[in-house]
Amino acid sequence: MDLSVIPKATSCILFLFLLSCTCFISTDAYDPLDPNGNITIKWDIISWTPDGYVAVVTMSNFQQYRHIATPGWSLGWTWAKKEVIWSMMGGEATEQGDCSKFKGTPPHCCKKDPTIVDLLPGTPFDQQVANCCKGGVLSSWAQDQTNAVSSFQVSVGRAGTTNKTVKVPKNFTLKAPGPGYTCSPAKIVKPTIFIQSDKRRVTQALMTWNVTCTYSQFLAHKGPTCCVSLSSFYNDTIVPCPTCACSCQGNSSQSGTCVNGNTPHLASVVSGNNNLAPLVQCTSHMCPVRIHWHVKLNYVEYWRVKVTVTNFDFMRNYSDWNMVVQHPNFDNVTQLFSFNYKSLTPYENINDTAMLWGVKFYNDFLNQAGPLGNVQSEILFKKDKSTFTFDKGWAFPQRIYFNGDNCVMPPPDAYPWLPNAGSSREVSLLALVMSCLVALVFYAYV
Ligand SMILES: *[C@@H]1O[C@H](CO)[C@@H](O)[C@H](O)[C@H]1NC(C)=O
Ligand SMILES: *[C@@H]1O[C@H](CO)[C@@H](O)[C@H](O)[C@H]1NC(C)=O
Ligand SMILES: *[C@@H]1O[C@H](CO)[C@@H](O)[C@H](O)[C@H]1NC(C)=O
Ligand SMILES: *[C@@H]1O[C@H](CO)[C@@H](O)[C@H](O)[C@H]1NC(C)=O
Ligand SMILES: *[C@@H]1O[C@H](CO)[C@@H](O)[C@H](O)[C@H]1NC(C)=O
Ligand SMILES: *[C@@H]1O[C@H](CO)[C@@H](O)[C@H](O)[C@H]1NC(C)=O
Ligand SMILES: *[C@@H]1O[C@H](CO)[C@@H](O)[C@H](O)[C@H]1NC(C)=O
Ligand SMILES: *[C@@H]1O[C@H](CO)[C@@H](O)[C@H](O)[C@H]1NC(C)=O
Ligand SMILES: CC(=O)N[C@H]1CO[C@H](CO)[C@@H](O)[C@@H]1O
């Protein structure tokens, strides 16, 4: 045998290795399940005042499944000139800043870089505007469009008083409430048209600008925040979340801290703390949230899955949680028990992705770690005879997101097998070897 083949064999293996790597590394900036997802912040100037303008600022969450939960959003920007906020409705600046230069009633906020938060539910009517006062909570577009919009009104002074002299604010920051969003510069767009409620008259903004903010999981957290475990009726093996999926136990610098589940008194002490950092129960995966997918039953026409979401974080209740699941059989889901369901169609004719969330007042609240810290549901799928199989892990999801973040899946070769699936595995290994040989032959002849 020619010795020169050996480096080629090595390069072939290297090539296959690189190929398999590119399949598993995901880039966080682009979300294949919601490629157009963004939060758009729109400023509509509705009147000019002697020293500035009154604007209605509207945030629309166009993301299909990522929402903003309590304690809600906060929006910041930097004024382009020496603007001040005389007054606000439906929102408030967190700090007034130094207004000592003003005689008489001081402005609401004199800071160069104000931070605005929503007002709380129950705000008096005379301080409200439409879509305000939800404590900064924004639903996702797929779950509830009417609650995916939040507005406040701001009266700006020491600003331009015509559309030629007004300067758009700069450096927008959106916190939800932590990091994760990156906002574009403001762009002047066509003035918004408002249709009056009786639909007999339309008005328009004097000037409008838009800011678009997009999410990156990489900016939001240092590492993953959830993982997936799998089991099935046809194999006793429970495939756990990958070890160290979110962090590792131990005391090195990369390791997380955790609390043992059998010390609930410690958990109740720490949950009095206002810190948002997770404090997870000690597990091999160290994730705050685990999603378990169990293939439960096989009928002639249908098959049934049980999904359990478990909270391992002692510091956090998930109000209004949601998850997104990608599985080819979501085009024929027959029934979901005790979760809400909506099909998402990121690609026009592939209908394999669904958003699931809790039923209001029943299981929309995922309690902190402990005996109440889980929610579950069962899904009934209708079999399509041409695609349905328990072989090759087909019955398991391809991707799961919890609250908008991608969960760590077990490696595909660890999925529970059908008891007689060993031979098909050898076949696929053989196919791999064959393809490597084909590549080798190709190399040898070029
Ligand atoms: C923001 O999302 C909306 C709705 O999906 C989309 O129409 C718009 O083009 C997006 N904007 C940007 C700048 O991506
Ligand atoms: C400013 O207003 C004038 C009319 O008053 C209009 O023609 C012009 O397009 C406006 N410019 C912008 C940037 O809105
Ligand atoms: C933009 O805002 C961030 C955070 O508020 C701040 O760190 C940064 O210096 C600001 N940049 C400019 C150009 O104002
Ligand atoms: C500005 O934002 C609004 C949503 O708030 C959207 O309807 C409009 O299309 C946006 N304009 C542009 C030019 O992106
Ligand atoms: C922490 O690390 C030190 C030194 O690296 C080691 O002696 C100690 O046993 C470790 N403690 C735990 C709880 O692992
Ligand atoms: C979670 O909710 C429960 C019940 O409403 C409450 O007792 C607990 O203090 C909450 N925990 C946190 C961390 O907010
Ligand atoms: C996708 O599947 C769902 C559930 O079966 C169905 O209601 C929906 O109409 C389908 N959408 C498309 C575009 O096929
Ligand atoms: C169950 O699946 C595991 C892989 O996760 C495999 O090692 C085991 O052999 C399977 N059990 C049976 C009875 O086939
Ligand atoms: C068995 C069955 O109902 N199959 C249907 C699954 O969904 C696709 C697309 O929605 C249909 O084309 C199949 O007929």
Side-chain angles (χ1 to χ4, degrees):
M1 197 177 168
D2 186 357
L3 274 178
S4 70
V5 169
I6 289 164
K8 279 167 190 160
T10 319
S11 67
C12 179
I13 288 161
L14 196 68
F15 170 74
L16 285 172
F17 172 72
L18 287 176
L19 198 73
S20 65
C21 286
T22 49
C23 302
F24 297 115
I25 295 168
S26 73
T27 52
D28 282 291
Y30 175 77
D31 181 354
L33 299 186
D34 190 10
N36 294 318
N38 65 61
I39 294 183
T40 300
I41 300 157
K42 182 169 63 103
W43 287 55
D44 290 311
I45 296 186
I46 52 170
S47 63
W48 301 113
T49 59
D51 73 337
Y53 59 85
V54 176
V56 173
V57 180
T58 306
M59 297 171 56
S60 307
N61 184 7
F62 291 123
Q63 297 177 110
Q64 290 293 325
Y65 50 79
R66 191 170 292 109
H67 69 303
I68 298 182
T70 47
W73 54 262
S74 65
L75 178 66
W77 61 79
T78 306
W79 290 116
K81 298 196 287 188
K82 290 191 170 350
E83 289 90 338
V84 293
I85 299 175
W86 280 115
S87 63
M88 289 191 66
M89 281 170 65
E92 62 186 353
T94 55
E95 285 176 71
Q96 184 179 33
D98 177 9
C99 293
S100 59
K101 289 203 193 74
F102 290 85
K103 298 192 177 67
T105 314
H108 177 78
C109 174
C110 302
K111 280 187 71 103
K112 176 96 179 146
D113 53 350
T115 299
I116 310 300
V117 293
D118 197 5
L119 297 179
L120 298 175
T123 295
F125 284 112
D126 62 355
Q127 291 162 37
Q128 291 193 17
V129 294
N131 294 318
C132 85
C133 313
K134 294 181 279 203
V137 172
L138 267 184
S139 290
S140 66
W141 199 250
Q143 186 173 336
D144 184 358
Q145 289 183 13
T146 56
N147 283 312
V149 180
S150 194
S151 297
F152 58 85
Q153 183 177 305
V154 60
S155 174
V156 182
R158 301 211 292 187
T161 53
T162 68
N163 73 4
K164 302 252 158 29
T165 53
V166 91
K167 285 271 185 295
V168 300
K170 293 189 295 206
N171 201 12
F172 280 88
T173 52
L174 175 62
K175 299 243 167 76
Y181 287 91
T182 311
C183 298
S184 72
K187 187 167 155 247
I188 295 171
V189 299
K190 263 196 13 230
T192 307
I193 305 285
F194 301 102
I195 300 167
Q196 302 299 301
S197 53
D198 62 4
K199 297 200 171 65
R200 283 154 51 90
R201 175 178 150 78
V202 296
T203 56
Q204 79 178 66
L206 302 173
M207 186 177 180
T208 298
W209 58 78
N210 275 9
V211 175
T212 308
C213 304
T214 50
Y215 181 81
S216 153
Q217 185 177 337
F218 184 70
L219 285 179
H221 323 283
K222 276 197 292 263
T225 55
C226 54
C227 64
V228 177
S229 58
L230 308 167
S231 62
S232 66
F233 68 85
Y234 53 78
N235 183 322
D236 290 338
T237 310
I238 296 175
V239 180
C241 282
T243 303
C244 296
C246 296
S247 169
C248 292
Q249 281 189 43
N251 65 1
S252 80
S253 59
Q254 282 102 345
S255 302
T257 51
C258 64
V259 182
N260 276 312
N262 53 14
T263 52
H265 56 281
L266 175 55
S268 60
V269 170
V270 294
S271 69
N273 195 330
N274 260 338
N275 191 353
L276 264 174
L279 186 72
V280 297
Q281 190 176 322
C282 296
T283 54
S284 63
H285 53 79
M286 294 282 282
C287 291
V289 170
R290 180 189 68 198
I291 291 151
H292 185 75
W293 179 280
H294 176 63
V295 178
K296 190 179 175 189
L297 282 169
N298 185 22
Y299 309 99
V300 178
E301 299 268 324
Y302 301 96
W303 60 292
R304 194 171 172 126
V305 166
K306 181 173 180 181
V307 178
T308 308
V309 184
T310 309
N311 189 356
F312 290 99
D313 188 350
F314 288 106
M315 301 301 282
R316 186 131 175 219
N317 291 316
Y318 293 92
S319 59
D320 220 9
W321 61 270
N322 73 61
M323 66 198 242
V324 173
V325 184
Q326 191 176 20
H327 186 282
N329 216 153
F330 268 112
D331 59 350
N332 288 83
V333 58
T334 303
Q335 199 179 348
L336 234 95
F337 304 87
S338 69
F339 280 176
N340 286 306
Y341 156 78
K342 184 167 185 184
S343 167
L344 302 177
T345 49
Y347 313 107
E348 260 129 50
N349 41 24
I350 309 174
N351 191 2
D352 63 354
T353 309
M355 175 172 164
L356 317 178
W357 69 96
V359 175
K360 197 118 207 100
F361 305 124
Y362 177 59
N363 58 8
D364 63 330
F365 188 83
L366 174 57
N367 240 295
Q368 67 190 56
L372 300 174
N374 67 83
V375 290
Q376 44 191 268
S377 168
E378 299 199 356
I379 310 174
L380 192 62
F381 291 105
K382 187 165 167 61
K383 289 181 186 172
D384 180 343
K385 295 278 187 304
S386 65
T387 54
F388 175 81
T389 171
F390 281 129
D391 201 4
K392 297 199 180 69
W394 186 88
F396 298 105
Q398 293 167 353
R399 206 194 299 252
I400 293 191
Y401 285 23
F402 179 79
N403 271 2
D405 284 334
N406 203 345
C407 300
V408 180
M409 303 283 300
D413 62 353
Y415 282 23
W417 308 354
L418 268 180
N420 60 358
S423 55
S424 69
R425 181 157 299 242
E426 278 148 29
V427 167
S428 69
L429 193 68
L430 191 68
L432 197 74
V433 172
M434 284 300 286
S435 63
C436 196
L437 280 177
V438 168
L440 257 181
V441 169
F442 178 76
Y443 266 110
Y445 277 92
V446 170

